[in-house]
Amino acid sequence: MLDPKLVRNDINEVAAQLKKRGFVVDTTKFNTLEEQRKHLQVKLQEMQNERNVRSKEVGMAKAAGKNVDEVLAKLKDVSEAIKSLEAKFAQTQTELDDFLAGLPNIPHASVPFGKSEDDNEVVRVWGEPRQFSFKPKDHVELGANQGWIDFETAAALSGSRFVVLRGPMARLQRALIQFMLDLHINEHGYQEILVPYIVNADCLFGTGQLPKFKEDLFAVNGEGERYLISTSEIPVTNTVRDSIVNADQLPIKYACYSSCFRSEAGSYGKDIRGMLRQHQFEKVELVQIVQPAFSYEALEELTRHAETVLQRLELPYRVVALCTADIGFSAAKTYDLEVWLPGQNRYREISSCSNTESFQARRMKARWRDESGKIDLVHTLNGSGLAIGRTLIAVVENYQDELGRIHIPPALQPYMGGLEVIE
């Protein structure tokens, strides 16, 4: 959430900044609500002062032995008026809070301006796409014929956009998970964390999924408002919700493996072939909680950590700075990592690394205390390190041979019991 003081002090400047994202701020609505709030607040204070005066009059009248019926009647009228004003003020404040909760983050000054994803900027490219002496197959052709990647059984079990992995493909996925966790924990200094896959609405509001993206979530029937997580960023980041951490505890760096669940409500007909867009998928998520002064340094570091996975697997990729029109709701700046997929003959997103600055922290009331005792909001960052299913696709397609075998990258062979090729 944006700082309410910033919005109140210069709504027009905020609107101008958010316009870069293609987001139109209803300044008229905000100004109307804000004027109404101020008016009600002043009126409420006046009536509360009058109530105090009337209460004193009742006390003085009783002390003097006078009849207090008339004074009590006036006091009752004032009290009822206050109740009515309090209800109107609370309603106005709720509408203002909802308005503020619907505003996305302001893009950082370094974010390239753009009107669509076509305006994203390539920052760097690593590796060269492999030149095949045969027409490369996609992961569906390579895995489905062997029964390793089974969409039909998954559809019978759960419906479309699910998959069953068998044998060496299931083992390869498990190897990728362990490889990524070991890399981030042993070399990059992250602490492993395991979190629930079901969270309450407060968690989702804190990281920005609610209320705007409710349709992308799977709700859980039962007691309370709860949902399956769409990313482990949600519960991991919320571990500091409603808390104050000391300076010597920062940065907090977590690596978390989890399943993720997304309804893909806005992607009907998009990426319907294969494993690229599933209702259930796995990720190793990286989360950093840092002092504000170091958050952009942390963004570069976190992005490099995600890149290291691709480099160790020797998969060609590029780093893309998302433009103002393409960054996520909570993000101030985002880098996407896009891996080369021979089966599609194109780069596809495999990780998004974002700095949300204090946007999530303000919603979560996540703060830190510096050495002088001053309390301020932390900055939160997150990124996939990496998406497991898409990494599996990239390995399968980049390491295929003309016989349809899958060669195992050297970095993964120790996690596959020394296996060098999937026949």
Side-chain angles (χ1 to χ4, degrees), residues 54-250:
R54 298 294 182 188
S55 296
K56 289 179 182 178
E57 288 178 354
V58 171
M60 292 171 64
K62 284 183 177 180
K66 296 180 180 179
N67 187 301
V68 297
D69 290 348
E70 184 178 349
V71 182
L72 283 173
K74 291 180 179 179
L75 179 60
K76 182 180 178 181
D77 290 342
V78 172
S79 296
E80 288 178 354
I82 288 174
K83 285 183 181 179
S84 176
L85 283 170
E86 285 176 337
K88 291 178 181 178
F89 182 82
Q91 176 62 31
T92 301
Q93 189 61 60
T94 297
E95 291 182 43
L96 272 170
D97 290 343
D98 290 344
F99 183 93
L100 290 170
L103 298 179
N105 206 350
I106 292 175
H108 187 261
S110 63
V111 174
F113 174 77
K115 296 182 178 180
S116 73
E117 63 181 14
D118 295 334
D119 297 316
N120 295 339
E121 292 185 0
V122 176
V123 176
R124 54 185 172 272
V125 178
W126 188 93
E128 291 287 338
R130 175 183 166 191
Q131 300 300 311
F132 291 87
S133 59
F134 57 94
K135 183 179 179 180
K137 300 176 181 178
D138 69 6
H139 65 287
V140 178
E141 294 177 276
L142 290 164
N145 291 338
Q146 309 297 329
W148 298 335
I149 300 176
D150 185 350
F151 298 103
E152 291 183 3
T153 300
L157 296 172
S158 305
S160 61
R161 295 191 187 274
F162 290 92
V163 66
V164 170
L165 299 180
R166 291 193 181 91
M169 205 61 64
R171 186 180 185 185
L172 181 59
Q173 169 138 319
R174 176 162 52 90
L176 285 166
I177 295 166
Q178 192 64 60
F179 162 68
M180 292 180 196
L181 285 173
D182 284 351
L183 174 63
H184 296 313
I185 293 161
N186 297 333
E187 297 188 35
H188 296 154
Y190 290 82
Q191 179 183 3
E192 185 171 1
I193 186 172
L194 183 64
V195 292
Y197 291 178
I198 297 175
V199 294
N200 57 37
D202 289 341
C203 287
L204 291 156
F205 177 82
T207 46
Q209 281 75 23
L210 285 181
K212 187 174 178 63
F213 302 104
K214 186 174 183 177
E215 66 176 7
D216 292 327
L217 302 168
F218 283 112
V220 178
N221 292 328
E223 184 179 349
E225 186 180 3
R226 299 186 298 169
Y227 301 84
L228 293 172
I229 60 172
S230 55
T231 167
S232 59
E233 166 206 341
I234 298 164
V236 175
T237 308
N238 271 275
T239 57
V240 294
R241 176 160 54 96
D242 293 323
S243 65
I244 301 173
V245 297
N246 293 323
D248 59 3
Q249 295 175 270
L250 299 175

Side-chain angles (χ1 to χ4, degrees), residues 61 81 103 140 307 331 340 358 371 385:
L103 298 179
V140 178
E307 288 182 71
W340 178 258
S358 61
E371 291 80 357

